[in-house]
Amino acid sequence: MRTLVRYLSLRCQQLACTICQHGDGGSSSDHCIYSESVSSFQSTKAKAKPTPMDHSTSLLRLIFLALGAALLVLVVRSAFRLPSGIGTTTSSLFDDSTTGGSCTRFSPWACRQGRSSTPKPPSHELDVPHHPLDPLTMREVNRARDLLRAHQPFASAPSSLFVHSLELDEPDKLVVKAWRKGADPLPPRRAVAIIRFRGESHVVAVDLDGVGAVTPLHVPASGYPMMSMDEQTSLCFAPFKDAAFNASLRRRGVRGSDVACLPISLGWYGPDEEGRRLIKSQCFSTEGTANFYMRPIEGLTVLLDMDTHDVLHVSDRGAGIPIPAAANTDYTTPAQGHEYLGYQKLRAPSMEPPEGGPGFEIVDGHMVRWGGWEFHLKGDARAGMVVSQATVEDPTTGERREVMYKGMASELFVPYMDPTEAWYFKTYMDAGEYGFGLQAMPLVPLNDCPRHARYLDAVFVAADGRPYVRENMICVFERYAGDIAWRHSESPITGMNIRESRPKVTLVARMAASVANYDYIVDWEFQMDGLIRIKVGLSGILMVKGTQYSHMNQVHRNEDMYGTLLSENIIGVIHDHYVTFRLDMDVDGADNSFVKVEMARQNNIVGESPRKSYLKATRHVARTEKDAKVRLKLYEPSEFHVVNPTKKTRVGNPVGYKVVPAGTAASLLDPEDPPQKRGAFTNNQIWVTPYNKTEEWAGGLFVYQSKGEDTLATWSERDRPIENKDLVLWYTLGFHHVPCQEDFPIMPTVSSSFDLKPVNFFESNPILRQRPTQENDLPVCTAAATVA
């Protein structure tokens, strides 16, 4: 009996191996380790002599043969589920769907895998909206796609229709604020699509309810839509079609198979670049390292037509500049068994959730509640992460009070400071050109976010209009970093034994975008005292320039390298980062005012006081947009309040929030420099404009190759009245980056932040009655037994 079972098993394994080979086109001997065993068994069986027991067991033989035939039928049926390509996973022949078995082109068909510990990602195909601001669902995206493809003139050639953006057209602000869950139906759902069709840009509204009307909207006078991910991917391969480009690679001794090219937005530098969508491509050697950014093929620049992918021009000015070596550039996790040295042995402390689990909840996929805060959270293809309808509970009255209607990163401006031929155009607009949200990568549990974090996915749209899911785009978690919320201890001289202290526990919503070489980490941190901290961290890899220099003693006196020599043949180019946030503040209602509280030295009259001077604060209410422009000055300090003049505290102060700047940077470029004209929204650190639904993007709706005529700076020139109006506050967080060797080969995170802080918003300290933490509030940890 055991012999027959073994025979049938080997025959099935042999057939399974054969099927797997034919299914994937492989012929590795590793896949056929069973055939020799089967042949050996058959040879042995032929030499064996029958015994009297053979006749008495004929019935058993028939039974087992029938079982074997059934098993063979299962094998044949499995052939119709063979993997169709690399990386395709399906169930093993001998494992059911619960075992997690798999067979791919790189593993034997009859392999038995262990149970996968990774949970299956949630499917979003059946999602429905629950809130007026919920993003488009997959079903809504598919409906919008069908409506667009059926609409004239697009219906005449649907394959020529390319979707660059498809987002929810948010209902009017008054409609959203009046809506009540459970009492009101959702407002009509509508999408706005930005598309290219036969070389022309279109902006249309798509009604997702009823008959599905498609309505044309205003198209900007210049510029082009944000690039799609499909475009960015396909443009990486376009240079290889050109003979001159390939000849340049051969002259440098580089194999095409070792080259990676990246599409680089080219800004706008005059009428020669108008009339067609253009992009430049520069390339790197991937040989010997994952960090190909450190191996630039310097001076080789390809000009491409984005619509046709044709190569228009190849510039090669890098003769004599070597490709930097791959040594010491890799940053990926070392192989198992690698020893970490010194302080590199340190690990993150325990990230276990607090006793009883996280203290926050996410309702209906997007509404976050924690510590008196409630807000709507979602991912956006252009802005990245969007926080809406942020309200906080007043601890005195229990009333839920408005703070901010909508907050998001509106644009990122990254100009490099090298004016030479291969570098002058590198002045990126990472949101409007590449899509800040499109570049958001799935967050890494335990490293990007702690163990108890919860994750939100986002639904984005491909160029053909089909939806796809960006998993784990945003994480939400409680954070306790050992900080103190408030404290006071009495000195022994008072005779009062008072030691009062409270821990600062906060809630963080985080995303990380990898825009080619650079990584941006954006945190919205909510604190129990009503403060919101918005922080941007920079990490990733520098954009570097190849050079013939391997040591500073080779550099000529007074030569401007436009950066720092980081390693042999590598210069880190000086550059800036600016992240402009759009903050639609609604402090206890929509009608607010912007107040500058200016601080200046006040001199005393001689003989009036032993003091000669003091600091005086004077309040100025901004009447128009120009009154509200702010350039920060260290020796001319001010506070910047958004107040509700109609709402007062019990002692008569207007309730408000103030923006608290931290370390930031201001642009030093000439205002007439073409990149700065396009990035003129960074001319001031603070702007205030009246609410306008169409004014969301600081660089304009169409940023790509724009001239800078539709930016926050141009809107503000209208000098509209802003006193006691529905206001939008714009704040720019800036970084000057002069690279240093510690940034090589990958840079440690540097960060800066600013705060939105209550100012006379509460009647007193809102966390006065916060309970102190006791020892029994914490989980009890028992040390594991050790072996001597």
Side-chain angles (χ1 to χ4, degrees):
M1 179 174 176
R2 287 195 301 269
T3 304
L4 181 60
V5 170
R6 177 170 174 262
Y7 170 76
L8 290 174
S9 176
L10 287 171
R11 288 294 296 172
C12 292
Q13 289 174 350
Q14 181 188 35
L15 179 57
C17 176
T18 304
I19 292 173
C20 193
Q21 286 180 347
H22 288 292
D24 66 20
S27 59
S28 170
S29 60
D30 291 341
H31 288 217
C32 292
I33 58 175
Y34 309 114
S35 57
E36 293 181 4
S37 299
V38 174
S39 299
S40 175
F41 172 82
Q42 289 173 327
S43 175
T44 303
K45 182 176 181 292
K47 296 177 183 178
K49 294 181 179 180
T51 65
M53 290 295 295
D54 290 340
H55 300 286
S56 62
T57 59
S58 59
L59 182 59
L60 286 175
R61 288 178 182 274
L62 287 173
I63 293 173
F64 285 116
L65 284 172
L67 290 174
L71 188 56
L72 287 173
V73 170
L74 290 176
V75 171
V76 174
R77 289 184 61 188
S78 297
F80 293 98
R81 299 194 299 271
L82 293 178
S84 58
I86 295 175
T88 304
T89 303
T90 186
S91 298
S92 167
L93 284 171
F94 301 102
D95 295 337
D96 62 23
S97 60
T98 64
T99 64
S102 63
C103 180
T104 70
R105 190 171 294 189
F106 303 103
S107 62
W109 179 256
C111 59
R112 182 179 293 274
Q113 304 282 346
R115 184 184 299 273
S116 172
S117 60
T118 304
K120 184 180 179 180
S123 170
H124 294 276
E125 294 180 359
L126 301 180
D127 286 359
V128 295
H130 297 278
H131 186 280
L133 299 179
D134 280 359
L136 296 178
T137 65
M138 297 186 77
R139 289 193 288 190
E140 288 176 324
V141 169
N142 283 322
R143 173 157 171 74
R145 177 179 185 269
D146 292 341
L147 292 170
L148 288 171
R149 291 168 66 87
H151 180 72
Q152 292 295 346
F154 313 138
S156 62
S159 61
S160 299
L161 180 70
F162 299 100
V163 178
H164 289 254
S165 174
L166 181 63
E167 300 288 344
L168 174 74
D169 183 15
E170 295 182 354
D172 289 341
K173 187 173 179 179
L174 292 177
V175 172
V176 176
K177 294 178 74 168
W179 180 82
R180 294 293 177 267
K181 180 180 178 180
D184 302 319
L186 284 178
R189 301 278 287 178
R190 197 166 93 145
V192 171
I194 298 176
I195 55 185
R196 293 276 294 171
F197 181 72
R198 292 179 170 172
E200 298 291 334
S201 300
H202 299 263
V203 182
V204 297
V206 183
D207 292 323
L208 300 174
D209 301 324
V211 296
V214 178
T215 308
L217 301 177
H218 171 72
V219 178
S222 75
Y224 296 103
M226 178 179 72
M227 288 185 284
S228 68
M229 286 297 294
D230 305 67
E231 255 180 347
Q232 295 174 48
T233 300
S234 60
L235 285 166
C236 293
F237 303 99
F240 296 92
K241 299 185 300 181
D242 185 76
F245 171 78
N246 290 318
S248 290
L249 295 183
R250 287 193 296 272
R251 284 195 299 271
R252 294 166 182 262
V254 183
R255 294 179 301 180
S257 58
D258 290 333
V259 174
C261 297
L262 295 180
I264 299 175
S265 57
L266 44 61
W268 183 85
Y269 292 93
D272 291 344
E273 298 176 350
E274 293 181 6
R276 54 184 174 180
R277 298 168 69 223
L278 302 174
I279 197 162
K280 292 186 177 180
S281 180
Q282 291 185 333
C283 305
F284 308 81
S285 172
T286 62
E287 185 179 11
T289 179
N291 192 354
F292 59 87
Y293 297 104
M294 291 296 123
R295 306 201 68 206
I297 304 174
E298 191 58 47
L300 181 59
T301 305
V302 183
L303 180 65
L304 298 164
D305 184 307
M306 291 178 65
D307 288 324
T308 65
H309 289 198
D310 290 337
V311 173
L312 305 178
H313 179 68
V314 177
S315 173
D316 190 351
R317 301 192 178 189
I321 300 177
I323 297 175
N328 302 317
T329 62
D330 204 356
Y331 59 89
T332 54
T333 304
Q336 190 173 4
H338 177 85
E339 290 295 327
Y340 290 92
L341 303 177
Y343 56 81
Q344 295 173 335
K345 293 181 180 179
L346 293 177
R347 294 179 179 271
S350 173
M351 294 182 180
E352 293 294 339
E355 187 75 7
F360 66 92
E361 58 178 339
I362 301 177
V363 181
D364 294 334
H366 294 283
M367 288 301 301
V368 182
R369 295 172 182 163
W370 172 87
W373 282 104
E374 183 173 294
F375 56 91
H376 187 274
L377 182 65
K378 66 180 177 182
D380 181 88
R382 181 165 176 173
M385 182 166 55
V386 179
V387 174
S388 302
Q389 287 199 291
T391 63
V392 65
E393 183 179 312
D394 191 308
T396 304
T397 65
E399 176 189 4
R400 183 151 296 284
R401 301 175 63 185
E402 295 176 280
V403 175
M404 181 180 67
Y405 181 74
K406 185 176 182 179
M408 65 181 190
S410 178
E411 191 53 84
L412 294 87
F413 178 41
V414 188
Y416 280 75
M417 303 302 166
D418 185 334
T420 59
E421 173 68 20
W423 280 81
Y424 75 91
F425 55 89
K426 295 180 181 178
T427 54
Y428 307 102
M429 299 281 189
D430 285 336
E433 292 177 338
Y434 291 90
F436 196 41
L438 288 180
Q439 311 300 324
M441 296 295 106
L443 295 163
V444 181
L446 301 184
N447 293 281
D448 283 331
C449 310
R451 185 190 301 270
H452 61 278
R454 291 184 60 185
Y455 295 84
L456 278 71
D457 300 339
V459 173
F460 293 152
V461 183
D464 65 358
R466 300 180 191 275
Y468 66 94
V469 177
R470 172 72 76 237
E471 296 176 7
N472 291 4
M473 175 182 169
I474 298 171
C475 71
V476 182
F477 59 92
E478 287 178 299
R479 173 160 62 194
Y480 173 57
D483 295 329
I484 298 171
W486 66 264
R487 80 174 312 280
H488 182 65
S489 295
E490 272 299 336
S491 169
I493 64 174
T494 66
M496 302 171 68
N497 185 25
I498 295 177
R499 303 286 186 273
E500 292 287 347
S501 182
R502 303 293 187 271
K504 176 178 283 189
V505 181
T506 65
L507 184 78
V508 177
R510 171 176 293 166
M511 65 156 280
S514 299
V515 189
N517 56 303
Y518 250 103
D519 288 62
Y520 295 85
I521 304 104
V522 179
D523 284 0
W524 283 73
E525 182 175 14
F526 294 82
Q527 302 187 9
M528 293 180 67
D529 58 2
L531 183 143
I532 303 173
R533 175 162 294 158
I534 303 167
K535 183 170 74 172
V536 176
L538 307 179
S539 187
I541 302 170
L542 295 174
M543 183 71 75
V544 301
K545 179 178 182 176
T547 178
Q548 68 268 34
Y549 301 135
S550 59
H551 194 280
M552 284 299 296
N553 61 15
Q554 300 171 321
V555 180
H556 305 296
R557 180 178 294 183
N558 300 325
E559 179 180 354
D560 193 344
M561 296 194 302
Y562 312 110
T564 305
L565 189 66
L566 303 178
S567 185
E568 290 80 0
N569 308 118
I570 297 175
I571 293 173
V573 177
I574 297 169
H575 57 282
D576 288 344
H577 298 265
Y578 301 101
V579 187
T580 297
F581 287 87
R582 180 184 186 271
L583 307 165
D584 181 2
M585 303 297 294
D586 279 6
V587 180
D588 260 349
D591 292 340
N592 292 170
S593 295
F594 182 70
V595 180
K596 293 182 184 178
V597 183
E598 297 177 349
M599 289 170 275
R601 184 177 66 200
Q602 185 75 22
N603 294 322
N604 288 319
I605 300 173
V606 176
E608 185 179 59
S609 169
R611 292 276 299 274
K612 289 187 175 183
S613 61
Y614 62 95
L615 187 70
K616 182 178 181 179
T618 305
R619 297 167 58 88
H620 296 284
V621 178
R623 311 294 182 191
T624 67
E625 291 176 273
K626 289 185 179 179
D627 293 338
K629 294 178 182 179
V630 173
R631 292 188 179 184
L632 298 174
K633 300 176 182 178
L634 184 62
Y635 283 95
E636 295 180 18
S638 295
E639 287 192 354
F640 311 103
H641 297 188
V642 177
V643 303
N644 188 326
T646 66
K647 301 287 182 68
K648 304 289 181 68
T649 64
R650 70 175 186 275
V651 298
N653 291 312
V655 301
Y657 261 71
K658 64 180 178 181
V659 58
V660 184
T664 188
S667 178
L668 302 179
L669 295 179
D670 188 309
E672 294 303 311
D673 195 350
Q676 191 60 33
K677 291 181 73 172
R678 299 178 67 236
F681 50 87
T682 64
N683 288 343
N684 301 299
Q685 285 75 55
I686 295 176
W687 309 72
V688 180
T689 61
Y691 171 80
N692 185 326
K693 183 181 176 182
T694 66
E695 296 177 358
E696 284 204 319
W697 310 110
L701 179 63
F702 284 5
V703 174
Y704 200 92
Q705 287 181 255
S706 70
K707 303 176 186 178
E709 78 277 50
D710 180 31
T711 69
L712 170 59
T714 57
W715 310 332
S716 190
E717 283 299 310
R718 286 175 279 181
D719 201 25
R720 295 164 289 187
I722 58 172
E723 184 179 6
N724 201 17
K725 301 286 185 182
D726 191 355
L727 301 183
V728 175
L729 184 144
W730 307 75
Y731 183 84
T732 295
L733 198 63
F735 303 78
H736 294 308
H737 191 173
V738 180
C740 59
Q741 286 188 243
E742 288 79 4
D743 295 332
F744 173 85
I746 190 167
M747 58 181 286
T749 301
V750 297
S751 61
S752 190
S753 64
F754 67 98
D755 294 342
L756 299 174
K757 185 180 186 301
V759 55
N760 302 316
F761 187 80
F762 298 106
E763 294 290 349
S764 62
N765 181 352
I767 53 173
L768 177 66
R769 299 305 174 194
Q770 179 183 340
R771 189 173 68 87
T773 299
Q774 306 294 338
E775 185 66 32
N776 58 9
D777 292 327
L778 304 176
V780 177
C781 301
T782 304
T786 58
V787 179

